[in-house]
Amino acid sequence: MAYAIEILRREHANMGKLLSLLEHQIAKVEQAQNPDYELIKSIADYFADFPANCHHPKEDIIYFKLRERAPEAAKAMGDLEEEHGTVAVRLDELNRAIDNILLEVEVSRGSFCTVARRFIDDERKHMLMEERYFFPVALDALMDEDWSDIDARLNSSTDPLFDAIVEDRFRTLRQELLDWGGLAV
């Protein structure tokens, strides 16, 4: 398997853990319990940072190479850039809702949960599409030299939450993942 795909699959698994933790917090909102809105904000901050600045650029390198090597296969798969744009819009909606709550602007539980669930669902659908269609198409269409070029172009950015050195702003989130059982050490 291509090294880049291994990395992307690991990152998807990690993002899936965060989505599950977010879903757990949203369930508390729906059950009129007290969720940790700071934790929810931290999850949204992670999604605003890591996928946009590190994960999606890796996928874009593969996608652009696929469009060069097998344009019909890339076209049949759909528009990855548009997919990333849709997820970004849902994240912006979630961030606005969380910011309003933290600023003590009145936000109904129902509307907040709708926005949060829409983000979770869209993010999961997006990752599933990549796992089921994009990655297999790329693995089938790209050649060894393409993968060598892709691997050489991968950014060396670290994951601010899941790498060995955790950024200070995500330490509480990391601990919550450990406590919740969504993260193995």
Side-chain angles (χ1 to χ4, degrees):
M1 170 155 332
Y3 174 68
I5 298 295
E6 288 178 28
I7 291 171
L8 292 170
R9 284 189 167 144
R10 183 176 61 242
E11 291 172 357
H12 279 179
N14 289 338
M15 287 186 276
K17 293 171 188 176
L18 281 176
L19 291 172
S20 294
L21 180 58
L22 177 57
E23 195 166 45
H24 176 72
Q25 291 295 315
I26 300 310
K28 287 183 175 186
V29 176
E30 292 168 337
Q31 297 163 5
Q33 297 174 358
N34 292 323
D36 185 339
Y37 286 109
E38 291 292 340
L39 180 66
I40 294 170
K41 178 65 174 159
S42 186
I43 293 169
D45 287 347
Y46 176 85
F47 275 98
D49 178 23
F50 182 72
N53 296 321
C54 188
H55 180 77
H56 291 161
K58 290 173 193 167
E59 292 173 337
D60 291 342
I61 292 168
I62 297 168
Y63 183 64
F64 294 138
K65 184 63 78 172
L66 181 63
R67 285 190 350 201
E68 288 174 11
R69 174 72 65 193
E72 290 304 312
K75 185 177 180 181
M77 189 207 71
D79 189 343
L80 188 64
E81 292 171 297
E82 184 178 308
E83 286 265 336
H84 289 161
T86 298
V87 170
V89 167
R90 296 294 180 238
L91 179 60
D92 286 343
E93 292 170 354
L94 178 61
N95 269 315
R96 279 194 306 276
I98 295 167
D99 288 344
N100 283 336
I101 288 170
L102 293 174
L103 292 170
E104 298 182 5
V105 173
E106 190 170 323
V107 177
S108 75
R109 281 184 200 277
S111 65
F112 177 74
C113 291
T114 297
V115 166
R117 292 249 179 233
R118 193 176 313 141
F119 168 74
I120 293 167
D121 292 345
D122 282 358
E123 189 68 38
R124 283 189 173 139
K125 286 176 191 170
H126 171 70
M127 289 191 301
L128 186 62
M129 179 282 296
E130 290 175 340
E131 295 284 341
R132 286 192 178 163
Y133 302 104
F134 175 45
F135 296 167
V137 166
L139 286 166
D140 186 52
L142 298 179
M143 300 179 179
D144 289 342
E145 62 266 19
D146 297 324
W147 290 111
S148 293
D149 180 49
I150 289 165
D151 290 347
R153 296 176 57 210
L154 290 180
N155 61 41
S156 61
S157 299
T158 59
D159 188 315
L161 174 63
F162 291 98
D163 279 351
I165 298 174
V166 178
E167 288 184 13
D168 287 340
R169 64 192 170 124
F170 293 119
R171 284 196 194 288
T172 303
L173 178 54
R174 171 81 173 214
Q175 190 58 52
E176 184 65 29
L177 276 168
L178 287 166
D179 294 346
W180 188 62
L183 185 64
V185 203

PDB file of all heavy atoms in Angstrom, residues 163-181:
ATOM      1  N   ASP A 163      -0.052  13.276  17.500  1.00  0.00           N
ATOM      2  CA  ASP A 163       1.374  12.944  17.463  1.00  0.00           C
ATOM      3  C   ASP A 163       1.924  12.848  18.882  1.00  0.00           C
ATOM      4  O   ASP A 163       1.254  13.211  19.849  1.00  0.00           O
ATOM      5  CB  ASP A 163       2.156  13.987  16.652  1.00  0.00           C
ATOM      6  CG  ASP A 163       2.051  13.732  15.146  1.00  0.00           C
ATOM      7  OD1 ASP A 163       1.535  12.665  14.755  1.00  0.00           O
ATOM      8  OD2 ASP A 163       2.467  14.606  14.376  1.00  0.00           O
ATOM      9  N   ALA A 164       3.146  12.391  18.992  1.00  0.00           N
ATOM     10  CA  ALA A 164       3.776  12.197  20.309  1.00  0.00           C
ATOM     11  C   ALA A 164       3.836  13.502  21.102  1.00  0.00           C
ATOM     12  O   ALA A 164       3.637  13.507  22.314  1.00  0.00           O
ATOM     13  CB  ALA A 164       5.175  11.619  20.139  1.00  0.00           C
ATOM     14  N   ILE A 165       4.089  14.602  20.420  1.00  0.00           N
ATOM     15  CA  ILE A 165       4.121  15.903  21.097  1.00  0.00           C
ATOM     16  C   ILE A 165       2.804  16.605  20.802  1.00  0.00           C
ATOM     17  O   ILE A 165       2.500  16.943  19.660  1.00  0.00           O
ATOM     18  CB  ILE A 165       5.312  16.746  20.613  1.00  0.00           C
ATOM     19  CG1 ILE A 165       6.616  16.033  20.954  1.00  0.00           C
ATOM     20  CG2 ILE A 165       5.266  18.139  21.239  1.00  0.00           C
ATOM     21  CD1 ILE A 165       7.855  16.695  20.416  1.00  0.00           C
ATOM     22  N   VAL A 166       2.024  16.814  21.857  1.00  0.00           N
ATOM     23  CA  VAL A 166       0.704  17.418  21.732  1.00  0.00           C
ATOM     24  C   VAL A 166       0.825  18.915  21.995  1.00  0.00           C
ATOM     25  O   VAL A 166       1.449  19.330  22.974  1.00  0.00           O
ATOM     26  CB  VAL A 166      -0.286  16.778  22.738  1.00  0.00           C
ATOM     27  CG1 VAL A 166      -1.653  17.428  22.651  1.00  0.00           C
ATOM     28  CG2 VAL A 166      -0.373  15.284  22.511  1.00  0.00           C
ATOM     29  N   GLU A 167       0.228  19.714  21.117  1.00  0.00           N
ATOM     30  CA  GLU A 167       0.245  21.159  21.323  1.00  0.00           C
ATOM     31  C   GLU A 167      -0.541  21.505  22.579  1.00  0.00           C
ATOM     32  O   GLU A 167      -1.564  20.876  22.877  1.00  0.00           O
ATOM     33  CB  GLU A 167      -0.347  21.884  20.113  1.00  0.00           C
ATOM     34  CG  GLU A 167       0.551  21.843  18.897  1.00  0.00           C
ATOM     35  CD  GLU A 167       0.004  22.647  17.727  1.00  0.00           C
ATOM     36  OE1 GLU A 167      -0.953  23.437  17.907  1.00  0.00           O
ATOM     37  OE2 GLU A 167       0.554  22.489  16.619  1.00  0.00           O
ATOM     38  N   ASP A 168      -0.078  22.512  23.285  1.00  0.00           N
ATOM     39  CA  ASP A 168      -0.704  22.929  24.545  1.00  0.00           C
ATOM     40  C   ASP A 168      -2.210  23.134  24.403  1.00  0.00           C
ATOM     41  O   ASP A 168      -2.982  22.736  25.274  1.00  0.00           O
ATOM     42  CB  ASP A 168      -0.060  24.213  25.080  1.00  0.00           C
ATOM     43  CG  ASP A 168       1.324  23.955  25.651  1.00  0.00           C
ATOM     44  OD1 ASP A 168       1.630  22.789  25.986  1.00  0.00           O
ATOM     45  OD2 ASP A 168       2.091  24.928  25.774  1.00  0.00           O
ATOM     46  N   ARG A 169      -2.638  23.757  23.309  1.00  0.00           N
ATOM     47  CA  ARG A 169      -4.065  24.074  23.146  1.00  0.00           C
ATOM     48  C   ARG A 169      -4.943  22.829  23.024  1.00  0.00           C
ATOM     49  O   ARG A 169      -6.161  22.913  23.163  1.00  0.00           O
ATOM     50  CB  ARG A 169      -4.269  25.008  21.965  1.00  0.00           C
ATOM     51  CG  ARG A 169      -3.870  24.388  20.646  1.00  0.00           C
ATOM     52  CD  ARG A 169      -3.818  25.429  19.544  1.00  0.00           C
ATOM     53  NE  ARG A 169      -3.216  24.863  18.366  1.00  0.00           N
ATOM     54  CZ  ARG A 169      -3.788  24.846  17.186  1.00  0.00           C
ATOM     55  NH1 ARG A 169      -4.971  25.398  17.009  1.00  0.00           N
ATOM     56  NH2 ARG A 169      -3.176  24.303  16.170  1.00  0.00           N
ATOM     57  N   PHE A 170      -4.319  21.668  22.766  1.00  0.00           N
ATOM     58  CA  PHE A 170      -5.091  20.438  22.628  1.00  0.00           C
ATOM     59  C   PHE A 170      -4.830  19.428  23.744  1.00  0.00           C
ATOM     60  O   PHE A 170      -5.306  18.300  23.683  1.00  0.00           O
ATOM     61  CB  PHE A 170      -4.832  19.785  21.264  1.00  0.00           C
ATOM     62  CG  PHE A 170      -5.366  20.591  20.108  1.00  0.00           C
ATOM     63  CD1 PHE A 170      -4.513  21.071  19.129  1.00  0.00           C
ATOM     64  CD2 PHE A 170      -6.714  20.878  20.002  1.00  0.00           C
ATOM     65  CE1 PHE A 170      -4.990  21.819  18.064  1.00  0.00           C
ATOM     66  CE2 PHE A 170      -7.213  21.629  18.940  1.00  0.00           C
ATOM     67  CZ  PHE A 170      -6.346  22.099  17.972  1.00  0.00           C
ATOM     68  N   ARG A 171      -4.098  19.816  24.785  1.00  0.00           N
ATOM     69  CA  ARG A 171      -3.786  18.880  25.876  1.00  0.00           C
ATOM     70  C   ARG A 171      -5.052  18.415  26.605  1.00  0.00           C
ATOM     71  O   ARG A 171      -5.186  17.232  26.916  1.00  0.00           O
ATOM     72  CB  ARG A 171      -2.818  19.515  26.869  1.00  0.00           C
ATOM     73  CG  ARG A 171      -1.417  19.568  26.352  1.00  0.00           C
ATOM     74  CD  ARG A 171      -0.404  19.822  27.448  1.00  0.00           C
ATOM     75  NE  ARG A 171       0.873  20.197  26.906  1.00  0.00           N
ATOM     76  CZ  ARG A 171       1.704  19.370  26.279  1.00  0.00           C
ATOM     77  NH1 ARG A 171       1.388  18.118  26.128  1.00  0.00           N
ATOM     78  NH2 ARG A 171       2.857  19.800  25.810  1.00  0.00           N
ATOM     79  N   THR A 172      -5.963  19.327  26.870  1.00  0.00           N
ATOM     80  CA  THR A 172      -7.206  18.954  27.556  1.00  0.00           C
ATOM     81  C   THR A 172      -8.024  18.005  26.695  1.00  0.00           C
ATOM     82  O   THR A 172      -8.575  17.021  27.191  1.00  0.00           O
ATOM     83  CB  THR A 172      -8.023  20.210  27.919  1.00  0.00           C
ATOM     84  OG1 THR A 172      -7.204  21.061  28.726  1.00  0.00           O
ATOM     85  CG2 THR A 172      -9.301  19.860  28.653  1.00  0.00           C
ATOM     86  N   LEU A 173      -8.092  18.285  25.413  1.00  0.00           N
ATOM     87  CA  LEU A 173      -8.812  17.408  24.484  1.00  0.00           C
ATOM     88  C   LEU A 173      -8.161  16.032  24.442  1.00  0.00           C
ATOM     89  O   LEU A 173      -8.847  15.001  24.470  1.00  0.00           O
ATOM     90  CB  LEU A 173      -8.859  18.031  23.088  1.00  0.00           C
ATOM     91  CG  LEU A 173      -9.541  17.235  21.987  1.00  0.00           C
ATOM     92  CD1 LEU A 173     -10.962  16.831  22.368  1.00  0.00           C
ATOM     93  CD2 LEU A 173      -9.533  18.039  20.689  1.00  0.00           C
ATOM     94  N   ARG A 174      -6.859  15.983  24.397  1.00  0.00           N
ATOM     95  CA  ARG A 174      -6.140  14.698  24.400  1.00  0.00           C
ATOM     96  C   ARG A 174      -6.470  13.903  25.662  1.00  0.00           C
ATOM     97  O   ARG A 174      -6.741  12.708  25.602  1.00  0.00           O
ATOM     98  CB  ARG A 174      -4.628  14.976  24.307  1.00  0.00           C
ATOM     99  CG  ARG A 174      -3.735  13.776  24.509  1.00  0.00           C
ATOM    100  CD  ARG A 174      -3.607  12.950  23.269  1.00  0.00           C
ATOM    101  NE  ARG A 174      -2.615  11.901  23.462  1.00  0.00           N
ATOM    102  CZ  ARG A 174      -1.834  11.456  22.536  1.00  0.00           C
ATOM    103  NH1 ARG A 174      -1.889  11.957  21.324  1.00  0.00           N
ATOM    104  NH2 ARG A 174      -0.991  10.498  22.776  1.00  0.00           N
ATOM    105  N   GLN A 175      -6.447  14.587  26.810  1.00  0.00           N
ATOM    106  CA  GLN A 175      -6.757  13.911  28.068  1.00  0.00           C
ATOM    107  C   GLN A 175      -8.199  13.413  28.077  1.00  0.00           C
ATOM    108  O   GLN A 175      -8.483  12.313  28.558  1.00  0.00           O
ATOM    109  CB  GLN A 175      -6.498  14.831  29.271  1.00  0.00           C
ATOM    110  CG  GLN A 175      -6.580  14.112  30.598  1.00  0.00           C
ATOM    111  CD  GLN A 175      -5.596  12.952  30.699  1.00  0.00           C
ATOM    112  OE1 GLN A 175      -4.396  13.118  30.452  1.00  0.00           O
ATOM    113  NE2 GLN A 175      -6.084  11.775  31.038  1.00  0.00           N
ATOM    114  N   GLU A 176      -9.104  14.206  27.543  1.00  0.00           N
ATOM    115  CA  GLU A 176     -10.512  13.780  27.470  1.00  0.00           C
ATOM    116  C   GLU A 176     -10.653  12.535  26.603  1.00  0.00           C
ATOM    117  O   GLU A 176     -11.394  11.615  26.948  1.00  0.00           O
ATOM    118  CB  GLU A 176     -11.379  14.917  26.925  1.00  0.00           C
ATOM    119  CG  GLU A 176     -12.851  14.601  26.896  1.00  0.00           C
ATOM    120  CD  GLU A 176     -13.478  14.400  28.268  1.00  0.00           C
ATOM    121  OE1 GLU A 176     -13.004  14.998  29.254  1.00  0.00           O
ATOM    122  OE2 GLU A 176     -14.468  13.637  28.352  1.00  0.00           O
ATOM    123  N   LEU A 177      -9.946  12.484  25.494  1.00  0.00           N
ATOM    124  CA  LEU A 177      -9.963  11.283  24.648  1.00  0.00           C
ATOM    125  C   LEU A 177      -9.441  10.072  25.388  1.00  0.00           C
ATOM    126  O   LEU A 177     -10.002   8.970  25.303  1.00  0.00           O
ATOM    127  CB  LEU A 177      -9.126  11.503  23.370  1.00  0.00           C
ATOM    128  CG  LEU A 177      -9.820  12.196  22.213  1.00  0.00           C
ATOM    129  CD1 LEU A 177      -8.801  12.597  21.168  1.00  0.00           C
ATOM    130  CD2 LEU A 177     -10.891  11.309  21.594  1.00  0.00           C
ATOM    131  N   LEU A 178      -8.356  10.261  26.148  1.00  0.00           N
ATOM    132  CA  LEU A 178      -7.803   9.168  26.939  1.00  0.00           C
ATOM    133  C   LEU A 178      -8.800   8.712  28.013  1.00  0.00           C
ATOM    134  O   LEU A 178      -9.049   7.511  28.183  1.00  0.00           O
ATOM    135  CB  LEU A 178      -6.498   9.592  27.604  1.00  0.00           C
ATOM    136  CG  LEU A 178      -5.284   9.719  26.686  1.00  0.00           C
ATOM    137  CD1 LEU A 178      -4.146  10.469  27.379  1.00  0.00           C
ATOM    138  CD2 LEU A 178      -4.826   8.351  26.220  1.00  0.00           C
ATOM    139  N   ASP A 179      -9.382   9.664  28.725  1.00  0.00           N
ATOM    140  CA  ASP A 179     -10.340   9.341  29.792  1.00  0.00           C
ATOM    141  C   ASP A 179     -11.592   8.678  29.241  1.00  0.00           C
ATOM    142  O   ASP A 179     -12.161   7.785  29.859  1.00  0.00           O
ATOM    143  CB  ASP A 179     -10.733  10.608  30.568  1.00  0.00           C
ATOM    144  CG  ASP A 179      -9.583  11.213  31.353  1.00  0.00           C
ATOM    145  OD1 ASP A 179      -8.543  10.530  31.527  1.00  0.00           O
ATOM    146  OD2 ASP A 179      -9.703  12.381  31.771  1.00  0.00           O
ATOM    147  N   TRP A 180     -12.036   9.140  28.100  1.00  0.00           N
ATOM    148  CA  TRP A 180     -13.267   8.639  27.480  1.00  0.00           C
ATOM    149  C   TRP A 180     -13.047   7.251  26.882  1.00  0.00           C
ATOM    150  O   TRP A 180     -13.998   6.507  26.642  1.00  0.00           O
ATOM    151  CB  TRP A 180     -13.726   9.637  26.420  1.00  0.00           C
ATOM    152  CG  TRP A 180     -15.053   9.358  25.831  1.00  0.00           C
ATOM    153  CD1 TRP A 180     -16.270   9.324  26.464  1.00  0.00           C
ATOM    154  CD2 TRP A 180     -15.322   9.083  24.466  1.00  0.00           C
ATOM    155  NE1 TRP A 180     -17.263   9.035  25.568  1.00  0.00           N
ATOM    156  CE2 TRP A 180     -16.704   8.887  24.342  1.00  0.00           C
ATOM    157  CE3 TRP A 180     -14.529   8.993  23.340  1.00  0.00           C
ATOM    158  CZ2 TRP A 180     -17.317   8.613  23.130  1.00  0.00           C
ATOM    159  CZ3 TRP A 180     -15.131   8.705  22.138  1.00  0.00           C
ATOM    160  CH2 TRP A 180     -16.523   8.513  22.030  1.00  0.00           C
ATOM    161  N   GLY A 181     -11.809   6.899  26.643  1.00  0.00           N
ATOM    162  CA  GLY A 181     -11.511   5.586  26.080  1.00  0.00           C
ATOM    163  C   GLY A 181     -11.427   5.572  24.567  1.00  0.00           C
ATOM    164  O   GLY A 181     -11.325   4.517  23.961  1.00  0.00           O
TER     165      GLY A 181
END
